[in-house]
Amino acid sequence: MRRFLVLFFLIAPSICIAKAERVISLAPHTTELAYAAGLGDKLVAVSDYSDYPPQAKKLERVANYQGIKVERILELQPDLVIVWRSGNSPKDIEKLKQFGIHLFYSDPQTLEDIALDIEKLSTYSEFPQIGYKAAQNFKKQLITIKAKYQKQHQVRYFYQLSSTPLMTVSQGKWPSEIFSFCGGENIFSDAGAPYPQVSVEQIIVRNPEVIFTSKQSPGQAEVWQQWGNHIEAIKRQQVLPLDSNILSRPTPRVITSIEQICHYFSSIQQKT
């Protein structure tokens, strides 16, 4: 009897969670996570730039970089709103809380957090096995890639987040986790700001072996050619454009970027 009571209290929280019938997502990555968790058919509205999977493009937009359309969200009467803790306006989120809207906070900082968010969101789905399977598959893919590239040595890299101003990401802030997973050493890991503005002079001094740019901004790669005599990555022609739409979103799709980066680091090490 005692063992039964212990088991009951362990699983009771998941039993008591009501299944969501009307869901709103307030960030592109949370939209993807909702679909992965089996809640795609329950979405009634999403944020701007929610473009994956393709069916998300047809949904109403109720959030963007300027804020959240609180009044419209109330009119849609959702029973679950998925918010981005570090991206959505804290004031707007507080308003939703005051109106009694049930909120799910998503802010993955590690690869493991992606699977965890999917598993948690799946408890709101009529078919939680969909999300559970997606989370387990993601974990298995990570294990497979890690095993394949486990002998890699660290490679110094610079990730160009933007050109004007020239910005990057410090260690511990997304997507630095992806590069670290593949054996990357962030040349700005000691930066005080999460997304610091840097100078070309600083990059020359720290001398990265690889520079990552964005496919969505082709000019990023071209601008580095003038520094070919000063930066190792340029000398060796090791400037790799990545799909920033995938890289910037902590969702299962980052597996594509992880495989690409790990393979690239591996090929560099084979040359040396």
Side-chain angles (χ1 to χ4, degrees):
M1 182 65 178
R2 185 175 179 180
R3 290 178 62 185
F4 172 80
L5 289 174
V6 171
L7 178 61
F8 173 80
F9 284 114
L10 284 174
I11 66 174
S14 61
I15 294 175
C16 296
I17 292 178
K19 303 306 178 184
E21 293 297 328
R22 297 180 63 79
V23 181
I24 291 178
S25 163
L26 299 183
H29 89 270
T30 59
T31 300
E32 292 191 35
L33 294 180
Y35 276 97
L39 292 170
D41 61 337
K42 305 299 182 182
L43 283 168
V44 295
V46 294
S47 70
D48 279 3
Y49 301 106
S50 289
D51 54 9
Y52 188 88
Q55 52 264 45
K57 298 178 182 179
K58 302 177 182 178
L59 297 170
E60 181 179 347
R61 268 49 182 162
V62 292
N64 54 37
Y65 72 94
Q66 295 178 319
I68 299 169
K69 299 178 183 178
V70 177
E71 291 185 4
R72 180 53 183 155
I73 290 176
L74 294 176
E75 291 174 352
L76 290 170
Q77 299 182 335
D79 45 29
L80 177 65
V81 174
I82 312 172
V83 303
W84 181 17
R85 188 185 295 275
S86 62
N88 294 134
S89 164
K91 291 183 179 179
D92 289 342
I93 293 175
E94 186 59 32
K95 288 179 183 178
L96 293 176
K97 286 177 62 177
Q98 291 175 357
F99 282 105
I101 301 294
H102 186 67
L103 305 178
F104 179 92
Y105 293 90
S106 174
D107 196 19
Q109 296 299 313
T110 68
L111 295 170
E112 290 75 16
D113 288 343
I114 295 174
L116 187 60
D117 270 11
I118 294 173
E119 289 174 348
K120 289 179 179 178
L121 279 170
S122 71
T123 61
Y124 295 94
S125 171
E126 185 179 0
F127 303 102
Q129 63 272 22
I130 294 175
Y132 179 77
K133 184 177 180 180
Q136 294 303 308
N137 183 54
F138 180 71
K139 291 178 183 178
K140 289 178 181 177
Q141 287 177 302
L142 289 177
I143 292 172
T144 299
I145 296 173
K146 195 67 173 180
K148 183 178 180 180
Y149 297 103
Q150 63 180 344
K151 295 182 180 179
Q152 290 193 172
H153 302 295
Q154 285 194 316
V155 177
R156 298 189 320 280
Y157 75 91
F158 170 68
Y159 172 56
Q160 184 176 353
L161 188 60
S162 67
S163 300
T164 310
L166 184 57
M167 296 180 67
T168 187
V169 58
S170 63
Q171 195 63 27
K173 294 298 179 181
W174 194 268
S176 64
E177 171 80 2
I178 295 176
F179 299 105
S180 296
F181 181 88
C182 292
E185 180 184 352
N186 188 348
I187 64 170
F188 286 101
S189 61
D190 59 347
Y195 300 98
Q197 184 173 334
V198 299
S199 67
V200 173
E201 289 73 19
Q202 287 176 300
I203 296 169
I204 290 174
V205 170
R206 302 186 184 215
N207 197 22
E209 299 170 78
V210 180
I211 292 177
F212 292 104
T213 62
S214 171
K215 283 184 178 179
Q216 283 71 23
S217 303
Q220 283 187 354
E222 297 172 4
V223 74
W224 291 106
Q225 299 311 312
Q226 61 183 304
W227 305 105
N229 295 326
H230 305 281
I231 302 175
E232 188 175 351
I234 312 303
K235 290 179 184 177
R236 298 185 179 184
Q237 298 184 335
Q238 292 174 173
V239 179
L240 181 67
L242 299 171
D243 189 329
S244 56
N245 285 340
I246 294 177
L247 191 68
S248 63
R249 301 179 189 179
T251 74
R253 283 201 298 158
V254 298
I255 284 293
T256 302
S257 294
I258 292 172
E259 289 179 331
Q260 184 180 9
I261 294 167
C262 286
H263 176 75
Y264 195 69
F265 281 166
S266 178
S267 65
I268 289 173
Q269 291 172 349
Q270 289 173 11
K271 295 177 184 176
T272 57

